[in-house]
Amino acid sequence: VSDAVSADGQFIVASGPYGAERIYREELGGWKSEVYSGAFSQSVTDVAYWDGWQYHHADQAKQVYRLNADNDKQVIFSGNAYRNVIVSGSVIVACSERVVYLANTIDLEPVWSEAPNLNNEEITNCVLVDDTVFVATRATSAEFNLWTLNTTEPSPQPSVITSVNNIEGLVSDGSYLYWSSGDDLHRFSVEDNTTSSVTIDSGVVRSLAYSDGRLLFASGETPVSIHIMNPNDWGIKAPAVHQLEQGVVTALAVWKNQLLIGVGSDGVTILDIEQSDISPAWDKPFFNAVHALGEEVPLQLAHLNDVGLVDFYQDGLLVSRIANPGYNGSTHILPGTVNGSQLAYVA
């Protein structure tokens, strides 16, 4: 396992030669795995998910492609050894060893007229924040650069915004970038380019993941500890939420109270963790609940830590704003909703 993402109640996992797995929970509570096009039919090293589409990087085929719910395949990039596939909004990002590629999610056409020049430095990681791609490169064995690229410009002029001694596991919450360097965690402000850091006592930090206000990471060796941190105050929840007596954590992904841990060739472990460790959680409506047109739909959160106001959205439309303790409300299935439609609720 080299990469994993959460995807609307399931996980998409890059399992190398075994392929791309979709891991989902059955009605009776057990977990089930499906491999796209069959086990060992295609090696996949990077995955992403956006708006109902799975995105895979098939390293041996040298392709980045996407699949819809019917497994219809659309090739986006081909002919290179890609890495760090990222999708958000209207932009698809993939990197080769020294080039960043962009395509449009609508028609899959290239966004840039030519690839930006990063001084021919080796690309190690990248992350997408709004209209900006942040790219980490290795300038020398002891120096890493963090570049910015504007996705709305046909020929962006990249610029270095900071140089550090290492950048691993680059993730973002939209306002900050987070990465590790040995046993240090770093936080970089997208707004003012300032950096802060903290040393993790349990050892070398690997496999960062961000989920709803909490930073998750693996650190140490024999055992490897999985920690949850509040990056605003560098507060770590003690004790660790999980420990591995042996093995290396190669990927982390979170969906509500489900934590997926990738352990290299040993596969994955999925844990139930306290929802309050991650974020306020949905209580109602339930996932996959069925409601009739005009029926009242309850709106309720659980584990209301540090909540002062809640906005509820139905398919992107604000349907309720609640500032009273308890934060319970309701809405209705809106007129004109087609029978059988799937509705997305966000708070």
Side-chain angles (χ1 to χ4, degrees):
V1 174
S2 57
D3 195 16
V5 293
S6 61
D8 295 340
Q10 56 192 348
F11 294 101
I12 310 300
V13 179
S15 296
Y18 189 66
E21 294 184 78
R22 181 176 73 92
I23 300 176
Y24 61 95
R25 201 158 210 169
E26 297 180 294
E27 291 184 4
L28 298 179
W31 292 95
K32 186 174 182 179
S33 169
E34 293 181 352
V35 181
Y36 169 67
S37 74
F40 298 104
S41 65
Q42 185 163 246
S43 177
V44 174
T45 56
D46 298 272
V47 290
Y49 182 85
W50 183 263
D51 197 25
W53 291 88
Q54 293 185 42
Y55 292 78
H56 300 168
H57 168 224
D59 55 315
Q60 295 179 357
K62 294 186 176 180
Q63 286 185 342
V64 174
Y65 59 85
R66 70 180 182 181
L67 304 169
N68 61 15
D70 296 322
N71 281 343
D72 296 326
K73 178 179 175 180
Q74 297 178 341
V75 176
I76 306 162
F77 306 113
S78 62
N80 291 285
Y82 301 98
R83 60 183 76 169
N84 303 121
V85 178
I86 306 167
V87 188
S88 181
S90 62
V91 176
I92 307 163
V93 182
C95 303
S96 64
E97 185 178 11
R98 303 186 189 278
V99 180
V100 181
Y101 300 89
L102 255 72
N104 193 303
T105 56
I106 298 174
D107 54 19
L108 307 185
E109 290 296 317
V111 172
W112 290 334
S113 56
E114 61 182 78
N117 181 6
L118 302 178
N119 286 348
N120 203 35
E121 296 176 6
E122 179 191 356
I123 296 171
T124 62
N125 218 324
C126 64
V127 69
L128 182 62
V129 179
D130 297 328
D131 295 329
T132 302
V133 184
F134 293 88
V135 184
T137 62
R138 188 195 311 270
T140 68
S141 60
E143 182 182 16
F144 284 68
N145 289 325
L146 187 64
W147 302 74
T148 60
L149 298 169
N150 192 317
T151 64
T152 63
E153 298 176 2
S155 299
Q157 299 301 311
S159 60
V160 174
I161 53 176
T162 190
S163 296
V164 294
N165 63 356
N166 201 358
I167 298 177
E168 294 186 12
L170 189 64
V171 297
S172 177
D173 62 2
S175 299
Y176 294 92
L177 309 183
Y178 305 96
W179 69 81
S180 66
S181 174
D183 55 0
D184 291 333
L185 275 176
H186 302 269
R187 180 181 65 197
F188 178 86
S189 171
V190 172
E191 182 178 353
D192 59 18
N193 292 0
T194 58
T195 304
S196 59
S197 63
V198 64
T199 299
I200 304 302
D201 294 336
S202 52
V204 175
V205 178
R206 297 182 177 90
S207 299
L208 299 182
Y210 181 86
S211 176
D212 297 331
R214 295 294 181 265
L215 193 64
L216 294 93
F217 61 89
S219 68
E221 298 178 3
T222 57
V224 179
S225 300
I226 311 296
H227 296 279
I228 297 176
M229 166 183 278
N230 181 343
N232 295 321
D233 60 9
W234 293 124
I236 298 178
K237 176 179 174 59
V241 296
H242 188 63
Q243 285 191 326
L244 297 172
E245 294 303 321
Q246 59 184 5
V248 177
V249 174
T250 53
L252 294 172
V254 180
W255 172 258
K256 295 187 177 179
N257 65 328
Q258 307 296 328
L259 170 62
L260 180 142
I261 304 170
V263 196
S265 59
D266 291 330
V268 303
T269 295
I270 301 178
L271 306 175
D272 289 330
I273 57 177
E274 294 181 28
Q275 182 67 47
S276 56
D277 289 339
I278 303 298
S279 68
W282 275 112
D283 187 7
K284 297 176 182 178
F286 297 113
F287 182 68
N288 279 346
V290 177
H291 295 277
L293 186 65
E295 180 183 347
E296 184 176 82
V297 178
L299 301 172
Q300 184 173 330
L301 296 182
H303 309 297
L304 296 167
N305 294 342
D306 303 320
V307 173
L309 181 144
V310 180
D311 286 342
F312 291 96
Y313 294 84
Q314 177 181 291
D315 275 3
L317 179 67
L318 179 66
V319 293
S320 182
R321 171 170 289 174
I322 304 171
N324 298 321
Y327 308 100
N328 301 332
S330 64
T331 186
H332 292 82
I333 304 299
L334 300 178
T337 302
V338 177
N339 188 32
S341 296
Q342 292 186 346
L343 302 177
Y345 289 87
V346 176

